[in-house]
Amino acid sequence: GNALEVWHLTNPNSSTGPTLDHATQTVGSFDAPHDARQPGGVTPIDTGDTRLQFAFWRNGVLSTGHNVAGPTGTSAAAAFTEIDVSAFPSLPATPLNDWVWNNPGDTDYSIDTYYPAVAVDLVTGHKAMVFNESSNSLYASAWAVGIPPSSVCTDCWETTSAPLFPVWNGQSTYVITSVDDPRNRWGDFSGAASDPFGSVWLHAEFAAAQNVWGTDVMQFTFLATDAQWDPASLTFDTQVGLDPSAPKPVTLTNTGV
């Protein structure tokens, strides 16, 4: 595929019925993901298809993601897309964000990533994505990475305040199939939710032991760095005794969201 269909529902409580608007957003080409590799050459993990795993709206931006084939065509990759819907049903020619996750340094996409989930920190506007990873040398694990607001940068992820890190490392291979269903089914989704007090809660599956799955839950908090002081520092006159120094004004500006 190379497009996402965007639907907008208004007047849901109208006596004459709701209004449903529709528009098409062109995105980068994507194909169905390959099943995820595991150590030892055992049956790979089923990564499903390209259906969307999540979608949410904030401040005129629609965020979503799904499983796709990696750029080499031989892997699974977690895709993330953000669309400016502020002028809906008019959509921009290209999305704000439209990328697939690849571990830094993994140029041949030897690590499969799948089942992403994203939520936004309501205080800073930064987002956190949790997903699964596995490969010929990595058991099915849960990982997370921060995503800056699209107003800061696009087609990028955090490298300082919230870099890539493991949520929980897998401990063994996972293979459970049946005669009726030969697929090695995984959890089919991860989860992410916003905390109104300034963090994101994430949960994802991992291989806790051979053929045993576990779920890890974590709280993901961003540091509020989008602030500037003017002046950057203050120097007060030396005072004798208990007399206070003369007050000096300072301005704090929120340069982020």
Side-chain angles (χ1 to χ4, degrees):
N2 64 354
L4 296 180
E5 305 300 323
V6 181
W7 296 87
H8 182 221
L9 180 68
T10 56
N11 303 320
N13 297 319
S14 171
S15 60
T16 58
T19 301
L20 191 61
D21 298 316
H22 166 263
T24 300
Q25 174 69 70
T26 300
V27 298
S29 297
F30 59 87
D31 295 311
H34 287 255
D35 287 343
R37 292 159 286 189
Q38 298 190 79
V42 301
T43 302
I45 291 173
D46 177 50
T47 57
D49 51 33
T50 61
R51 73 187 67 188
L52 299 182
Q53 295 286 308
F54 63 90
F56 63 88
W57 176 97
R58 185 173 188 263
N59 294 339
V61 175
L62 183 65
S63 302
T64 188
H66 56 151
N67 297 334
V68 300
T72 62
T74 60
S75 63
F80 176 69
T81 303
E82 281 191 319
I83 303 170
D84 182 356
V85 295
S86 59
F88 191 87
S90 176
L91 296 176
T94 57
L96 295 170
N97 272 297
D98 189 27
W99 47 262
V100 297
W101 173 254
N102 182 38
N103 279 20
D106 184 25
T107 57
D108 59 355
Y109 282 80
S110 62
I111 300 175
D112 295 304
T113 61
Y114 43 102
Y115 294 121
V118 174
V120 61
D121 178 355
L122 300 178
V123 173
T124 67
H126 292 250
K127 301 176 183 68
M129 180 169 76
V130 65
F131 52 92
N132 288 122
E133 285 195 351
S134 63
S135 70
N136 291 330
S137 59
L138 174 67
Y139 298 123
S141 304
W143 287 70
V145 69
I147 303 173
S150 55
S151 59
V152 174
C153 68
T154 57
D155 290 334
C156 63
W157 45 84
E158 300 280 5
T159 58
T160 54
S161 63
L164 171 72
F165 66 94
V167 176
W168 203 274
N169 287 318
Q171 302 299 306
S172 187
T173 55
Y174 182 89
V175 179
I176 294 182
T177 61
S178 68
V179 175
D180 296 329
D181 190 352
R183 296 172 296 172
N184 188 20
R185 296 291 297 276
W186 194 235
D188 291 2
F189 60 89
S190 302
S194 302
D195 188 318
F197 296 104
S199 62
V200 174
W201 291 89
L202 308 172
H203 70 82
E205 188 175 355
F206 67 96
Q210 186 172 21
N211 304 334
V212 176
W213 58 268
T215 299
D216 188 75
V217 180
M218 69 165 297
Q219 186 179 22
F220 200 106
T221 303
F222 292 91
L223 298 177
T225 58
D226 297 320
Q228 292 183 351
W229 297 90
D230 184 21
S233 63
L234 296 173
T235 301
F236 292 91
D237 299 329
T238 301
Q239 296 298 110
V240 178
L242 300 177
D243 293 335
S245 299
K248 293 187 177 182
V250 64
T251 302
L252 176 63
T253 303
N254 179 9
T255 60
V257 293

